[in-house]
Amino acid sequence: AQKVTQAQTEISVVEKEDVTLDCVYETRDTTYYLFWYKQPPSGELVFLIRRNSFDEQNEISGRYSWNFQKSTSSFNFTITASQVVDSAVYFCALTGSSYKLIFGSGTRLLVRP
Amino acid sequence: GAVVSQHPSWVICKSGTSVKIECRSLDFQATTMFWYRQFPKQSLMLMATSNEGSKATYEQGVEKDKFLINHASLTLSTLTVTSAHPEDSSFYICSALGLEGPYEQYFGPGTRLTVT
């Protein structure tokens, strides 16, 4: 069975602080994909990143960076110099051979001015 | 890029009535679409997989007769909530699988259903 765990329910930081959102996954598939989505109050999911199981390279996109470690089954997301606009719920998700997307429970991030 | 639309964006209906939600892939063909439900402050839960021209596959615990899914064309899937009750009030999100594979899943903006 596939499972995604986001242990942090809510995180509150002050603007300009760095923050890391944790994601741990379980799967028996050898080929799988991991995702991060942002869900602002409007509800629409915003795609942030996709990573396949064969690519463990870390990625940086502006203030966002992702650390994928197969050895610990983790795919963590770091926001550097957080901004108020980063306030949202962030979901980590996993898909494999079934094509079904399994979401974690989400982490609510509040960035205070 | 690939765009998925949902209609309506929000709907209020009375208990006992049925409501239909449409999910359309606007600029690509989607043989597979998914329907998710999200209760307030919770995660997205997959309800069913909708395949064009065949019956939908429902996840365990989802009532097939209550949530009717029809994927009649390569660009349209519909979810009908039959005999709606207040506990069916939720945010319903669809997604469409692109032709490139499981990593190309495009989400609609969601439909907020309130049953009074």
Side-chain angles (χ1 to χ4, degrees):
Chain A
Q2 296 185 320
K3 184 178 179 181
V4 177
T5 301
Q6 294 180 255
Q8 304 151 308
T9 305
E10 290 190 14
I11 300 176
S12 180
V13 298
V14 177
E15 202 170 22
K16 297 184 182 177
E17 283 186 18
D18 298 348
V19 58
T20 296
L21 282 60
D22 298 333
C23 173
V24 175
Y25 64 92
E26 296 176 28
T27 181
R28 293 182 180 176
D29 290 332
T30 53
T31 302
Y32 54 90
Y33 296 84
L34 293 161
F35 303 79
W36 275 96
Y37 291 91
K38 175 181 180 180
Q39 188 178 43
S42 65
E44 185 163 0
L45 285 178
V46 177
F47 168 80
L48 296 178
I49 190 172
R50 172 188 69 237
R51 175 66 74 224
N52 74 55
S53 52
F54 299 108
D55 182 2
E56 287 192 71
Q57 261 193 327
N58 292 333
E59 181 158 338
I60 298 175
S61 176
R63 296 184 297 107
Y64 296 170
S65 62
W66 292 269
N67 184 314
F68 176 29
Q69 292 193 346
K70 288 179 74 172
S71 61
T72 55
S73 297
S74 65
F75 186 42
N76 297 337
F77 171 33
T78 297
I79 301 175
T80 303
S82 60
Q83 299 176 1
V84 173
V85 293
D86 295 328
S87 297
V89 180
Y90 291 86
F91 290 100
C92 179
L94 165 71
T95 189
S97 57
S98 70
Y99 288 14
K100 297 178 183 180
L101 199 56
I102 305 301
F103 285 86
S105 54
T107 297
R108 185 175 301 273
L109 174 65
L110 175 63
V111 182
R112 295 171 280 125
Chain B
V3 179
V4 175
S5 70
Q6 280 185 243
H7 178 79
S9 55
W10 60 270
V11 58
I12 301 173
C13 71
K14 292 186 176 181
S15 188
T17 62
S18 295
V19 60
K20 180 186 288 188
I21 302 170
E22 294 184 348
C23 176
R24 293 182 184 273
S25 55
L26 298 185
D27 50 3
F28 68 103
Q29 294 182 332
T31 56
T32 301
M33 292 183 173
F34 301 93
W35 287 95
Y36 298 84
R37 180 168 55 183
Q38 184 180 30
F39 291 111
K41 297 191 175 183
Q42 293 189 24
S43 186
L44 284 79
M45 297 300 296
L46 180 65
M47 298 175 66
T49 303
S50 169
N51 293 300
E52 187 266 337
S54 64
K55 290 184 178 180
T57 303
Y58 291 81
E59 295 300 301
Q60 193 172 9
V62 177
E63 298 175 61
K64 302 177 182 182
D65 295 332
K66 181 168 189 59
F67 299 100
L68 301 179
I69 292 173
N70 187 336
H71 194 154
S73 77
L74 288 173
T75 59
L76 174 64
S77 175
T78 60
L79 167 68
T80 301
V81 183
T82 63
S83 186
H85 290 286
E87 56 265 31
D88 298 324
S89 298
S90 187
F91 192 55
Y92 292 87
I93 305 174
C94 73
S95 70
L97 200 61
L99 297 178
E100 297 300 319
Y103 48 83
E104 295 285 359
Q105 196 167 141
Y106 304 99
F107 284 86
T111 296
R112 193 164 303 280
L113 169 64
T114 302
V115 184
T116 60

